[in-house]
Amino acid sequence: GTLTGTGALQVSSSLTLAAGMTCTYTGTITFIATTTGKTITTNGKTLGNLAFTGVGGGWTLQDNLQLGSTSSINQTRGTLDTNSKDVSLSTYISNVSTARTLTLGSSTLSFIGTTATPWNISDPTNLTLNPGTSTIKFTNVFAQPTFVGGGLTYYNFWSARGASTEPLTISG
């Protein structure tokens, strides 16, 4: 099988990409389920943007998640559990006041893009963050990145930006 294109894709249940399939899809996959118990299995495929918008929805990663170097996770509702799997992405955004939960376990979230604000929780209202023993790792981000933490408690933060002398701004 093949998953290609750039058009919007909505998923109302679980998502499983077959191990042998070709995936060049770079559009946004929006998870709209309104019940928990949904899973995401990518089998090593690189995806574009992910959006979690389902009121009451709950999604759990089943393997490591690789997004493109300009791709983001935008969580506006529901529960996302990384299930201690590693995630590679450009940006995590959650800037709304709707109920949502992010559970990280022992995941490492590696920010590989060049966005100016790789971690952006400017409105933490109704966001439950369960950091576990996770690591948020800025690796190849914009020259002067900003970590917008929303006043929440994190476990590990690692800025591995090489020999850069550019400032890292931490707000919230």
Side-chain angles (χ1 to χ4, degrees):
T2 302
L3 177 61
T4 64
T6 59
L9 176 65
Q10 290 188 336
V11 177
S12 60
S13 189
S14 295
L15 174 69
T16 300
L17 302 178
M21 76 183 294
T22 301
C23 180
T24 58
Y25 179 78
T26 57
T28 298
I29 299 174
T30 302
F31 294 89
I32 62 172
T34 56
T35 58
T36 60
K38 308 306 180 201
T39 60
I40 299 171
T41 306
T42 61
N43 278 304
K45 308 298 183 252
T46 300
L47 297 176
N49 298 311
L50 302 183
F52 295 88
T53 64
V55 175
W59 302 271
T60 303
L61 297 183
Q62 301 301 297
D63 56 4
N64 293 338
L65 177 62
Q66 172 74 41
L67 301 184
S69 63
T70 60
S71 299
S72 65
I73 292 175
N74 188 345
Q75 184 181 5
T76 58
R77 293 179 182 86
T79 297
L80 175 58
D81 184 347
T82 61
N83 196 25
S84 296
K85 306 301 182 191
D86 292 336
V87 178
S88 180
L89 70 163
S90 175
T91 310
Y92 175 82
I93 306 163
S94 191
N95 291 329
V96 295
S97 60
T98 53
R100 64 226 188 271
T101 299
L102 177 62
T103 300
L104 299 175
S106 62
S107 293
T108 296
L109 280 71
S110 297
F111 290 83
I112 58 170
T114 56
T115 184
T117 310
W119 186 267
N120 191 347
I121 302 177
S122 60
D123 185 351
T125 306
N126 294 317
L127 171 63
T128 300
L129 174 66
N130 300 310
T133 58
S134 64
T135 299
I136 295 172
K137 183 177 178 182
F138 284 10
T139 56
N140 183 28
V141 296
F142 191 76
Q144 296 179 352
T146 300
F147 176 91
V148 180
L152 301 170
T153 300
Y154 298 87
Y155 191 76
N156 287 321
F157 176 77
W158 179 11
S159 180
R161 298 172 46 240
S164 175
T165 58
E166 300 287 339
L168 165 67
T169 302
I170 298 175
S171 70

